[in-house]
Amino acid sequence: MAILKIARMGHPVLRRKAAPVEDPGAPEIRRLVRDMLETMEDAGGTGLAAPQVHVPLRVVVFFVAGRRAELEDGLIEEGAAEDAPAAREFRHDVPLTVLVNPEIEVLTAETALGPEACLSVPGLVGQVPRATRIRYRGLGLEGETIEREAEGFHARVVQHECDHLDGILYPQRMTDLSLLAFTTEAGRFAAEQRAAMPAAPDEAEADAGTEREAEKVQGHG
């Protein structure tokens, strides 16, 4: 296995449409996936797409830790005990997943703004509108079909990663570029704002989400 160099915004490989994979079980695809997983782990990411490591093929890898998904979706409060009833009720880990030739079907017209960062756009975080509920399908390395419905942060991660396969980076999805910020500044100002004035519960959660994402710039691939 090897840690691969991650392409950054401006590199042509991130602007082109990736090619379909003919044989998901081919040795070179298995080797690519192993290297992508090692690279993602080294970078501390939640997901990674093949174009981000300079390979223009339709392959993504990702996982969603249950507790992080709950925090991002606002289902439990940060700092709650792992065995708290809310944590047990809403825990929904998404295991490490390899998707070859993935497709997305949007299941709702509802969209939501949420913070996104990217390994290919280091040091920045932006508020990005995404469909709140999707169905996605693709192939595993054994050729098996993987199909799931996803919502909230899970849906956001999948949409973010699959965008890379069509040459799209998250800033291109933003409708208000004033909401693009350096991660250090986003976290600092969110903390200062909360300290300066009491916020309504929804506003406090939004600020906390921005700060958490700012602290985890590698959150998305």
Side-chain angles (χ1 to χ4, degrees):
M1 292 193 295
I3 296 174
L4 305 175
K5 183 177 180 179
I6 295 175
R8 300 200 297 178
M9 183 169 60
H11 195 289
V13 74
L14 297 175
R15 297 197 299 266
R16 63 184 288 190
K17 193 177 181 73
V21 173
E22 294 185 4
D23 179 6
E28 61 270 23
I29 299 301
R30 291 179 180 274
R31 183 166 57 251
L32 169 64
V33 167
R34 287 195 299 269
D35 290 345
M36 287 174 64
L37 292 175
E38 185 168 357
T39 302
M40 182 177 71
E41 182 178 2
D42 179 71
T46 289
L48 193 66
Q52 291 183 274
V53 291
H54 303 85
V55 180
L57 292 175
R58 301 187 77 80
V59 180
V60 301
V61 298
F62 67 91
F63 70 95
V64 180
R67 187 167 179 81
R68 176 163 182 184
E70 292 155 7
L71 288 169
E72 294 292 345
D73 294 345
L75 298 177
I76 61 173
E77 295 182 2
E78 189 168 18
E82 288 286 345
D83 59 351
R88 291 199 305 271
E89 182 178 355
F90 293 111
R91 175 169 293 282
H92 49 284
D93 293 272
V94 180
L96 184 61
T97 300
V98 178
L99 280 183
V100 178
N101 300 334
E103 299 176 353
I104 290 178
E105 177 187 356
V106 175
L107 299 179
T108 177
E110 180 185 24
T111 62
L113 279 178
E116 294 187 22
C118 183
L119 295 172
S120 293
V121 190
L124 296 175
V125 60
Q127 294 287 328
V128 184
R130 296 284 187 186
T132 58
R133 193 162 63 90
I134 64 171
R135 179 182 294 115
Y136 64 89
R137 63 182 63 85
L139 299 177
L141 293 180
E142 304 301 328
E144 75 279 15
T145 297
I146 298 171
E147 181 170 341
R148 299 176 186 146
E149 290 191 12
E151 58 185 13
F153 187 64
H154 179 188
R156 181 173 296 277
V157 169
V158 175
Q159 291 172 85
H160 178 110
E161 298 307 331
C162 289
D163 264 357
H164 281 298
L165 306 182
D166 292 323
I168 298 171
L169 297 176
Y170 79 80
Q172 295 167 254
R173 292 290 191 191
M174 295 179 65
T175 54
D176 184 354
L177 287 177
S178 73
L179 299 178
L180 183 66
F182 288 106
T183 54
T184 51
E185 297 302 292
R188 181 167 66 87
F189 282 115
E192 289 177 357
Q193 184 179 23
R194 288 203 311 278
M197 62 172 62
D202 289 347
E203 294 172 348
E205 177 59 31
D207 285 344
T210 299
E211 184 174 7
R212 286 195 298 273
E213 200 63 34
E215 292 171 351
K216 300 174 182 176
V217 63
Q218 300 91 346
H220 302 83

